[in-house]
Amino acid sequence: MLHHPTHLSRRGLLAGGLGGLAVLATGCDAVGDVLGGEEGPGTSGAVSPTAPAADADGVLVEEAAAAIAATAALAAATGAAVPALDRIGRRLSRLHDAHARELGWSDTAERPSVTGGRAAALRRLQKAEARLQDHLAAAALEAESGALAQVLASMAAAVAQQRAVLS
């Protein structure tokens, strides 16, 4: 059975075009609002995840960055204390350090003491990574800023991916 394509009338095309222009104009206004006003020369139009956040978001950033730094310290300490986990510890520590820097955090957490064998150290690291992932996901849901929510959710996803490799 042959189906004939539906022909678009000029009115339909014109209405669709005007609707598309309205959506584009509204979208540009929304981006301008997120960026804090009019775009000037040199403004790329991208939303910066580390732009100054609202007070509530500032607290979220500090808490998330502190949790990331603490988990990075544990990962580094685990790798240093258990040679079999050195590669995993360094990889996780680098990931967390990059995330902390993205959030503007420069303080380093004190390295905890890692005792026990490989299995115990790995379990402790896995639990810490799970807590961090949960913390980042919850912070992403609480964030007032959409850009910050995206950054935190992306960080939670990166931790989840690394946890999958650990298992």
Side-chain angles (χ1 to χ4, degrees):
M1 177 189 246
L2 290 176
H3 292 284
H4 296 288
T6 305
H7 293 284
L8 187 61
S9 69
R10 282 186 226 162
R11 285 185 184 169
L13 181 62
L14 182 60
L18 289 175
L21 285 175
V23 168
L24 285 175
T26 304
C28 290
D29 288 343
V31 170
D33 291 343
V34 169
L35 293 174
E38 298 297 317
E39 289 188 26
T43 303
S44 69
V47 178
S48 172
T50 56
D55 290 334
D57 281 355
V59 172
L60 277 177
V61 168
E62 286 182 26
E63 291 173 351
I68 291 167
T71 308
L74 176 62
T78 301
V82 183
L85 298 176
D86 181 54
R87 193 170 133 214
I88 292 169
R90 282 186 290 123
R91 184 177 65 228
L92 290 170
S93 182
R94 280 193 310 266
L95 173 72
H96 299 321
D97 288 343
H99 287 170
R101 281 191 310 274
E102 179 68 21
L103 294 176
W105 189 264
S106 59
D107 297 340
T108 56
E110 185 176 325
R111 279 192 181 184
S113 172
V114 176
T115 58
R118 180 187 187 282
L122 184 58
R123 274 193 309 275
R124 182 177 178 193
L125 185 56
Q126 287 173 327
K127 286 180 183 178
E129 294 293 329
R131 279 192 307 271
L132 179 60
Q133 179 187 346
D134 291 344
H135 182 87
L136 291 170
L141 292 173
E142 290 179 35
E144 298 284 328
S145 162
L148 177 60
Q150 289 175 343
V151 167
L152 293 171
S154 175
M155 290 177 181
V159 172
Q161 184 177 32
Q162 291 303 313
R163 286 184 57 220
V165 174
L166 277 176
S167 299

